[in-house]
Amino acid sequence: MGSQGLRLVLACCLLLAFACGPALGRVPRGPQEVQEQAGTKEPPLDHAERDEENHEKYSPRQGEEAPASRCFRCCDPGSPVYQAIPMPQINITILKGEKGDRGDRGLQGKYGKTGSAGARGHVGPKGQKGSMGAPGDRCKNHYAAFSVGRKKPLHSNDYYQTVIFDTEFVNLYGHFNMFTGKFYCYVPGIYFFSLNVHTWNQKETYLHIMKNGEEVVILYAQVSDRSIMQSQSLMLELRDQDEVWVRLFKGERENAIFSDEFDTYITFSGYLVKHALEP
């Protein structure tokens, strides 16, 4: 026999096996078994009873574990609870795209409450020197001053005498009149005045500093065998056109002041201390 014969034999065997298999699988039942099956045949069940029977049939008994490969319905009691499978975590940073364009400026919010004052900061560096400013108004200064002297002696008479001075040391703006012997106020304010004389031996010295015809202060020296220098000073508040001078008292007693042509023994001075308009 060749290869073709072997192939025919194998094909016949396979056909025989497929044909005889179902017949051989049927097992003949005995008469008693058939009778029992016929005698115990129950009437058909309704839908509810069939569900309950199936539930008891397929549900695991108490104390038994359900096989792992067995199927369950979601409505069956005692169905196993499966653990939830966690969702996979995705790293968002790897999905970050490129930076977008800047958006429009939003509306301004409400102003917040004023905070407390902070601590004093450090002293900053010295700044640069600024530019020179515009020139200011010219300062209005007020001046008045005089200083005069007398080189001739003077004796008293039966009347009062104004002491006339013949030497001019300072006479600012000519406010002291050398002919009348009086100082005329043209700049109102506070003035300082000083009078110095030399007494005469065995004679009394009696003079007054006058203001507008009134005696203000006296310069006096008693009779003495020795001549001395005597002085008097004061401050006066003068108004415009006020007058100040020195007057020798009349001759009830022998009254005189000494001087000579070689030296100046008698002086009278005054100057403005503060203008009336200054604060």
Side-chain angles (χ1 to χ4, degrees):
M1 294 177 65
S3 58
Q4 294 181 354
L6 292 175
R7 293 178 180 175
L8 291 173
V9 173
L10 291 174
C12 291
C13 291
L14 290 173
L15 291 173
L16 182 63
F18 280 111
C20 297
L24 294 174
R26 296 178 181 177
V27 180
R29 299 178 182 178
Q32 183 178 359
E33 191 173 323
V34 172
Q35 184 178 359
E36 289 178 357
Q37 183 176 5
T40 58
K41 187 174 182 180
E42 296 179 356
L45 302 176
D46 58 1
H47 181 72
E49 292 176 354
R50 186 168 55 253
D51 292 341
E52 184 178 355
E53 182 180 355
N54 292 335
H55 176 69
E56 292 177 357
K57 181 178 179 180
Y58 294 104
S59 299
R61 297 180 182 179
Q62 186 175 4
E64 294 182 359
E65 294 182 358
S69 61
R70 187 176 178 182
C71 297
F72 294 93
R73 292 183 298 178
C74 62
C75 59
D76 293 340
S79 59
V81 179
Y82 298 97
Q83 295 181 356
I85 301 174
M87 296 295 293
Q89 301 292 330
I90 301 176
N91 189 0
I92 302 179
T93 57
I94 64 176
L95 304 177
K96 184 177 181 180
E98 297 180 357
K99 184 177 180 180
D101 298 335
R102 186 173 181 177
D104 297 335
R105 183 181 179 90
L107 299 176
Q108 184 175 358
K110 296 180 180 180
Y111 289 101
K113 296 181 179 179
T114 304
S116 57
R120 184 180 180 88
H122 300 289
V123 179
K126 185 177 181 180
Q128 298 180 355
K129 184 177 180 180
S131 58
M132 182 181 294
D137 297 334
R138 184 175 180 180
C139 182
K140 296 180 180 180
N141 294 324
H142 304 275
Y143 301 100
F146 73 94
S147 180
V148 293
R150 181 182 173 93
K151 292 187 176 182
K152 296 178 181 180
L154 181 62
H155 294 269
S156 61
N157 285 323
D158 296 336
Y159 51 91
Y160 297 105
Q161 298 182 73
T162 299
V163 179
I164 304 299
F165 297 89
D166 51 25
T167 303
E168 183 180 81
F169 299 109
V170 174
N171 191 7
L172 193 60
Y173 309 124
H175 292 179
F176 188 89
N177 193 321
M178 298 295 291
F179 298 100
T180 61
K182 295 181 179 181
F183 170 75
Y184 297 92
C185 177
Y186 296 103
V187 182
I190 298 175
Y191 285 79
F192 174 82
F193 295 97
S194 175
L195 175 63
N196 296 276
V197 298
H198 190 278
T199 63
W200 204 308
N201 296 342
Q202 302 299 326
K203 292 184 179 180
E204 190 177 42
T205 303
Y206 197 176
L207 299 100
H208 284 96
I209 296 180
M210 307 293 294
K211 174 187 174 183
N212 297 334
E214 297 181 358
E215 301 171 353
V216 181
V217 292
I218 187 174
L219 188 153
Y220 179 78
Q222 295 180 344
V223 178
S224 175
D225 295 337
R226 298 176 57 187
S227 60
I228 58 173
M229 293 293 298
Q230 196 79 350
S231 66
Q232 179 65 279
S233 60
L234 78 160
M235 296 181 71
L236 293 175
E237 183 175 2
L238 303 181
R239 298 180 180 179
D240 190 23
Q241 300 300 321
D242 282 347
E243 301 176 1
V244 179
W245 75 94
V246 180
R247 188 190 70 179
L248 184 65
F249 199 76
K250 58 185 178 180
E252 297 178 354
R253 295 181 296 268
E254 191 158 359
N255 183 19
I257 51 177
F258 175 80
S259 188
D260 59 36
E261 59 183 6
F262 301 103
D263 295 306
T264 304
Y265 288 88
I266 305 168
T267 59
F268 182 42
S269 303
Y271 59 89
L272 176 67
V273 177
K274 180 180 177 296
H275 190 269
L277 298 179
E278 293 181 7

